[in-house]
Amino acid sequence: MKTHVKALVVGGGVVGTSIAYHLARAGWDDVMLLERDELTSGSTWHAAGLLPYFNMSFATTHIHDYSIKFYKTLEEETGLNAGFSVVGNLRMAQSKARMDEYMLYASTAETCGVPYEWMTPAQVKDRWPLVRTDDLEGAIFHPTDGYINPADVTMAMAKGARQRGVVIERRWQVDGYRWAGSEWIVTCTKMVERGGNLVPSEEQIEITAEHVVTATGNHAQRTARLLGIKIPAIPVEHQFIVTEPDPALVEYRKTHGEHPVLRDADAKWYVREERGGWILGPYEEGAPARFEYGVPDSFRADLFPLDLERIEEEYLSMIHRIPSSETVGLKDDFNGPICYTPDGNPLIGPAPGLRNMWLAEGFSFGITAAGGAGKYLADLMVEGEAEIDMASLDPKRFGSWMTTEYAARKNEEAYDHVYVLHHPDEERPAARPLRTSPAYDRQKAAGAQFGHVNGWERPNYFAPLEFSDHDARSFRRGGWWQYAVKEAKAMREGVGMIDASAFTKHVVKGAGATAFLDWFTCNKLPRVGRINLTYALTSHGTVRTEYTIVREAEDIYHLISAGAWTSYDSDYLRKAVEDKEAEFGRIEVQNTTTQTGVFALAGPRSRDLLKKLVNDADPEAFFMNKNFPWLSAKPIELKMCPVMAIRVAYTGELGWELHHPVEMQNYLYDLLMAAGEEFGLKLVGARAQNWLRQEKSYRAFGTELGRDATPQEAGLDRFIDLEKDFYGKDAMLKTGIRSQCVTLLIEGPEDADPWGREVLYAGDVRVGRLTSGGYSVAFGKSIGMGYVKPEHAEVGNKLKVKMFDQLWDAEIVEDSPYDPSNATIRQNG
Ligand SMILES: Cc1cc2nc3c(=O)[nH]c(=O)nc-3n(C[C@H](O)[C@H](O)[C@H](O)COP(=O)(O)OP(=O)(O)OC[C@H]3O[C@@H](n4cnc5c(N)ncnc54)[C@H](O)[C@@H]3O)c2cc1C
């Protein structure tokens, strides 16, 4: 057996096999896959094999799209039939809100070129008469997907991998990982059968590997322990049942083709044909998490007992939808572990804190995702980046605060939410509140409706105490919209305060700090006491992180970045420092995220408010432009609270961010609220902030900014210093402009704004997509930001946005349509 390889893939389910295949296909000729049991013996063997296109994320849509197209090519390449039944997929809607959801999805799907058709209830009935349609609003049909045999597709990929030189070894379990500076030393144990169990033998070997990928499915918790990291992938029970042949179906099939995969989302199930009968797969409430602390040796290709009571409601609703199924008996059942993560998306990418260690864990739609996950992870490993931004799937989107209990409860919730209405303004309740800033209770008492960002509670908006956020959600303007409008106006006309404590904060200091940051980021470094907006790039010249850099002293810098990405940013920064310290000199990195709270105070009256509180001989002059210019920072005292005040506002108003010791937050909060009364100080949430920043064309990380666009494509040339050398510069220049970030004012429907996922057209040609959307109080209409092909990016160009299956007028406007000269930000006083 080989004991040295370039890449070792651990786990021979559908995911690991696809990764091994794609690594070989991407050109790595020394790849080995180890499986502790048999290929497919994890969750893969008992999957129903459905390959749904439907999901609400841009990155995942690309992944699923790749899989569906790739699986169709496997037979030609390997001679093995992957068992792909392209029967299509019919998703039914029982309500108008569900149709709204499908229309939002469809607009996202179009951005990736995924084909779909709309069907009326009558058309469904006409084509599939066994389906009851009298209580339906409509349906969306995907003609090109369907279902596949999970074992067959895995075996076809395994054959393809072997043909490309991959070595696949079964009955070897990985039991230890040790990083030896430039490669991993992986301890592997030969597994043997004893009394039906699979147990470790005495035989052990060590394999050295430059790169390791773990794709260990339900064993992710064990993998996490072996690696000394946290992986929030814990399985939940998922069952499906198979009926005896349904005579009506058998009769129908004599003259008709197979039914598409049927989904009644409002009833929480999928159904497909199986040998004249039906398979029903419900996503019911109450499915428990399993194997929180590891999979017992006795559990191999095993199943849990069926819990029919738990899925009774879904079973009855299948009978309602397909009345002929009422009289057919049950033939078989499957209740297996299905891996989940707290947000339902897999964990694909570099492991936190480790080198050359890649995770591919937590797949709940693993059969669907495996092809694309294998391809894009292989791209990341071989090329350094994938063509889509993989950040939303990155394992580091969950921080070190994450616990087993959190993961288990959130994973149960993610399972239970598979078929809820996926409102873009949805906030899920499990495991909350967990991470709260001290002023949480005060804000809650003031009517805050909180969102959940990286575990933090962050106010989305403020409403009367009796207001129900849950009941107010919508695909159009939700009940909260009116409150966000008031908050946005207050910020533009008076003064507002946003709790931005969740911001990620790092201090970088030491003799090597300046040279390091000069290389690490693309803008000029600020002078002492000043701040700059800047970007750390990827090796491909695209945006890895956006930072506000505050230079406190010659070699002390504060780096402030998005709150949702603390571990993701920390990991990249620390690894870059480790790599460069020898070259640049000593560099110290501290993550101060949870030590420092932030209130963002902004609006034309913000200066008046602060003047009342600052300790200074001349408070009247303290915040004047000559003493405290825009884009500068200084330590100040607001009565008894020491504050690092930064003159910048993400809302584009005159304003200051007040970074304060978190233990003094309540003191500062009370102080500001009391002093703010005479100026009409209003608490403002993240939703209004998101609208306001679009009026200023401020790009947001995770939407306009990510690893699929360079800062030049994002239109950020003024923050790039081409005179200096910085990481990713050459690649950025070489890439050029593939698409261009633009701001659009939109004449949308009266009751809705775009969400930032919609497709853009010029005439009937698809030219781009929105990445952000919302409402502009300054212009009284919808606003959005997005990317279009360069030839369509000119200011004044008239485009169309697809919302609710209709095209709406949109015009590309100059960046910063509100206050383009920044007069209000620079206002003196
Ligand atoms: C009832 C049911 C129905 C489902 N239906 C669908 C569906 O219709 N469509 C869909 O897309 N998905 C479906 N799924 C989900 C799907 O089964 C999984 O997402 C997918 O199989 C995950 O594949 P994987 O390769 O990540 O994990 P697994 O298939 O579990 O593979 C992991 C492998 O790693 C091996 N391993 C673990 N630790 C080690 C180690 N230390 N050393 C060596 N080997 C190790 C294991 O033995 C295992 O073979 C269903 C799941 C269930 C339970």
Side-chain angles (χ1 to χ4, degrees):
M1 187 159 153
K2 276 181 108 166
T3 54
H4 184 276
V5 291
K6 183 164 181 70
L8 181 70
V9 180
V10 185
V14 67
V15 173
T17 309
S18 170
I19 294 165
Y21 168 93
H22 281 94
L23 281 174
R25 189 162 124 167
W28 281 10
D29 55 8
D30 192 10
V31 177
M32 181 189 265
L33 183 151
L34 292 189
E35 163 55 47
R36 67 188 291 279
D37 199 343
E38 296 295 335
L39 293 183
T40 77
S41 63
S43 276
T44 297
W45 78 268
H46 51 56
L50 312 183
L51 301 175
Y53 257 123
F54 189 92
N55 76 89
M56 303 302 273
S57 131
F58 183 68
T60 310
T61 300
H62 273 284
I63 286 177
H64 290 191
D65 186 42
Y66 176 88
S67 297
I68 287 165
K69 290 176 178 153
F70 164 63
Y71 295 158
K72 288 175 182 167
T73 66
L74 272 172
E75 184 168 4
E76 195 179 311
E77 180 181 341
T78 65
L80 290 184
N81 184 334
F84 197 158
S85 302
V86 186
V87 293
N89 173 354
L90 183 76
R91 207 166 258 265
M92 296 169 273
Q94 291 187 29
S95 68
K96 289 200 162 43
R98 185 65 74 178
M99 284 304 286
D100 279 357
E101 179 189 51
Y102 293 172
M103 288 190 275
L104 176 58
Y105 155 75
S107 195
T108 309
E110 271 184 52
T111 63
C112 307
V114 170
Y116 65 87
E117 297 162 20
W118 297 111
M119 294 187 82
T120 63
Q123 286 168 325
V124 173
K125 187 81 200 163
D126 195 39
R127 224 162 131 186
W128 299 293
L130 296 184
V131 179
R132 173 178 280 166
T133 59
D134 51 356
D135 56 352
L136 293 183
E137 279 290 331
I140 184 169
F141 180 58
H142 285 108
T144 55
D145 68 11
Y147 65 91
I148 204 161
N149 185 317
D152 290 352
V153 72
T154 309
M155 291 309 171
M157 288 192 289
K159 183 167 179 200
R162 286 193 183 99
Q163 283 172 348
R164 292 170 185 273
V166 174
V167 175
I168 297 179
E169 299 283 355
R170 289 163 299 142
R171 297 289 171 94
W172 283 97
Q173 173 171 281
V174 170
D175 280 333
Y177 300 94
R178 207 169 72 245
W179 177 242
S182 58
E183 54 192 8
W184 286 95
I185 300 175
V186 182
T187 309
C188 311
T189 309
K190 182 80 190 161
M191 301 298 283
V192 290
E193 294 222 28
R194 209 164 288 150
N197 288 348
L198 191 67
V199 293
S201 71
E202 298 289 304
E203 188 182 348
Q204 279 204 329
I205 56 165
E206 282 189 340
I207 297 177
T208 51
E210 286 170 42
H211 292 262
V212 174
V213 186
T214 77
T216 55
N218 302 319
H219 296 256
Q221 290 314 302
R222 182 167 186 274
T223 302
R225 269 198 310 281
L226 293 176
L227 291 171
I229 60 172
K230 291 184 176 181
I231 303 179
I234 294 176
V236 175
E237 281 188 22
H238 176 47
Q239 31 191 0
F240 67 80
I241 52 177
V242 188
T243 74
E244 297 283 0
D246 174 350
L249 174 60
V250 173
E251 191 54 34
Y252 169 87
R253 284 297 307 279
K254 286 182 185 160
T255 47
H256 294 82
E258 186 170 343
H259 280 81
V261 176
L262 302 169
R263 280 195 172 75
D264 191 340
D266 301 288
K268 298 182 120 185
W269 53 248
Y270 58 79
V271 162
R272 74 164 169 87
E273 288 188 23
E274 174 73 6
R275 295 169 201 273
W278 306 99
I279 283 181
L280 165 72
Y283 278 86
E284 75 283 13
E285 272 178 33
R290 302 297 295 246
F291 307 146
E292 280 106 316
Y293 304 100
V295 184
D297 279 345
S298 56
F299 195 95
R300 294 177 67 190
D302 291 300
L303 292 168
F304 309 116
L306 174 73
D307 186 345
L308 202 50
E309 216 170 292
R310 210 168 68 215
I311 59 171
E312 192 183 343
E313 205 180 306
E314 288 76 18
Y315 193 6
L316 290 174
S317 75
M318 173 180 83
I319 291 169
H320 167 82
R321 185 67 55 219
I322 308 171
S324 62
S325 67
E326 183 170 7
T327 53
V328 297
L330 286 191
K331 190 170 80 174
D332 214 346
D333 59 81
F334 294 79
N335 183 5
I338 184 166
C339 227
Y340 263 85
T341 64
D343 61 10
N345 286 324
L347 305 157
I348 310 173
L354 305 174
R355 301 281 179 161
N356 293 9
M357 177 61 69
W358 307 84
L359 305 184
E361 305 284 2
F363 284 80
S364 55
F365 284 89
I367 313 302
T368 322
K375 179 207 162 14
Y376 291 115
L377 181 58
D379 284 352
L380 273 183
M381 294 172 65
V382 175
E383 305 290 338
E385 277 301 324
E387 79 207 51
I388 56 169
D389 183 356
M390 298 285 282
S392 59
L393 306 171
D394 193 282
K396 296 176 295 298
R397 68 188 186 274
F398 301 103
S400 52
W401 50 269
M402 207 273 312
T403 55
T404 313
E405 174 72 12
Y406 175 86
R409 299 294 81 80
K410 286 305 267 188
N411 293 6
E412 286 168 349
E413 180 188 60
Y415 175 88
D416 176 271
H417 275 57
V418 164
Y419 281 124
V420 300
L421 282 165
H422 292 291
H423 289 118
D425 52 358
E426 178 190 17
E427 291 292 347
R428 298 184 180 183
R432 298 177 59 192
L434 182 62
R435 305 182 77 203
T436 56
S437 58
Y440 170 82
D441 289 329
R442 280 164 165 77
Q443 295 179 83
K444 193 170 167 63
Q449 294 284 347
F450 290 92
H452 187 242
V453 179
N454 194 12
W456 284 97
E457 297 295 327
R458 188 182 65 173
N460 277 335
Y461 62 94
F462 292 80
L465 288 177
E466 63 281 4
F467 185 77
S468 161
D469 178 76
H470 181 275
D471 298 345
R473 292 173 196 161
S474 174
F475 293 90
R476 297 169 185 252
R477 287 175 183 161
W480 54 268
W481 187 88
Q482 54 178 319
Y483 303 115
V485 169
K486 285 189 189 136
E487 290 167 22
K489 283 191 173 149
M491 202 68 135
R492 288 273 179 258
E493 290 162 11
V495 54
M497 185 165 92
I498 296 171
D499 181 355
S501 299
F503 271 160
T504 297
K505 301 149 212 123
H506 287 95
V507 175
V508 178
K509 59 183 175 184
T514 300
F516 167 74
L517 287 173
D518 203 36
W519 164 85
F520 186 59
T521 61
C522 66
N523 199 355
K524 279 190 182 63
L525 290 179
R527 299 193 310 276
V528 174
R530 307 287 299 191
I531 75 164
N532 259 354
L533 196 64
T534 189
Y535 301 88
L537 307 192
T538 64
S539 59
H540 283 212
T542 55
V543 177
R544 181 56 170 68
T545 299
E546 179 183 56
Y547 289 115
T548 300
I549 293 197
V550 181
R551 190 168 191 172
E552 185 190 322
E554 215 35 65
D555 52 11
I556 303 180
Y557 298 85
H558 295 259
L559 272 55
I560 303 151
S561 55
W565 301 94
T566 306
S567 298
Y568 180 79
D569 289 350
S570 228
D571 193 68
Y572 195 62
L573 177 63
R574 283 180 194 282
K575 283 176 179 165
V577 164
E578 268 171 35
D579 287 345
K580 288 289 180 181
E581 209 173 1
E583 185 180 334
F584 293 130
R586 201 182 64 79
I587 305 160
E588 196 182 318
V589 179
Q590 292 165 0
N591 179 350
T592 56
T593 302
T594 54
Q595 294 161 27
T596 312
V598 181
F599 289 141
L601 195 77
R605 305 301 309 274
S606 56
R607 179 183 270 129
D608 297 336
L609 198 168
L610 288 174
K611 275 188 215 168
K612 281 188 63 176
L613 299 175
V614 70
N615 297 335
D616 192 72
D618 188 2
E620 206 38 53
F622 191 85
F623 293 100
M624 286 173 123
N625 282 359
K626 63 175 187 211
N627 298 324
F628 207 140
W630 183 41
L631 301 181
S632 68
K634 33 173 149 170
I636 66 170
E637 293 179 2
L638 294 179
K639 298 300 175 202
M640 289 195 293
C641 187
V643 166
M644 165 72 86
I646 305 175
R647 188 166 165 193
V648 72
Y650 192 47
T651 46
E653 282 301 328
L654 172 74
W656 281 262
E657 277 181 11
L658 307 172
H659 292 235
H660 53 272
V662 78
E663 70 277 15
M664 293 192 188
Q665 180 166 87
N666 280 339
Y667 168 78
L668 182 63
Y669 180 91
D670 292 343
L671 193 70
L672 290 164
M673 292 304 287
E677 211 167 317
E678 72 174 277
F679 306 104
L681 173 62
K682 190 157 178 57
L683 293 169
V684 173
R687 300 234 168 108
Q689 175 180 255
N690 182 40
W691 293 349
L692 293 169
R693 63 104 191 158
Q694 290 179 64
E695 292 179 345
K696 292 293 296 170
S697 302
Y698 292 162
R699 282 74 170 149
F701 190 77
T703 54
E704 289 73 56
L705 301 176
R707 279 150 54 190
D708 50 359
T710 69
Q712 290 185 316
E713 290 172 315
L716 296 166
D717 300 71
R718 66 193 184 283
F719 302 109
I720 306 168
D721 177 12
L722 288 175
E723 301 289 302
K724 71 170 194 179
D725 276 334
F726 55 84
Y727 185 65
K729 178 180 169 185
D730 293 344
M732 175 191 79
L733 294 172
K734 203 167 145 216
T735 299
I737 307 292
R738 298 163 297 181
S739 61
Q740 185 78 58
C741 185
V742 294
T743 303
L744 301 112
L745 286 175
I746 298 159
E747 307 289 342
E750 277 195 351
D751 61 346
D753 302 305
W755 293 99
R757 305 172 181 181
E758 295 80 358
V759 63
L760 291 168
Y761 278 91
D764 51 8
V765 182
R766 192 159 40 98
V767 295
R769 65 181 180 115
L770 288 185
T771 46
S772 293
Y775 179 73
S776 162
V777 287
F779 295 96
K781 58 175 79 166
S782 295
I783 191 165
M785 295 176 72
Y787 279 85
V788 295
K789 295 184 179 145
E791 60 273 25
H792 294 280
E794 212 168 290
V795 170
N797 248 7
K798 305 263 194 290
L799 301 180
K800 301 271 185 192
V801 182
K802 194 162 211 183
M803 294 168 66
F804 304 105
D805 202 38
Q806 284 182 44
L807 292 172
W808 303 87
D809 288 336
E811 181 174 342
I812 297 180
V813 292
E814 202 82 60
D815 255 19
S816 187
Y818 169 77
D819 186 22
S821 62
N822 289 330
T824 64
I825 302 175
R826 294 173 203 256
Q827 200 181 52
N828 205 358

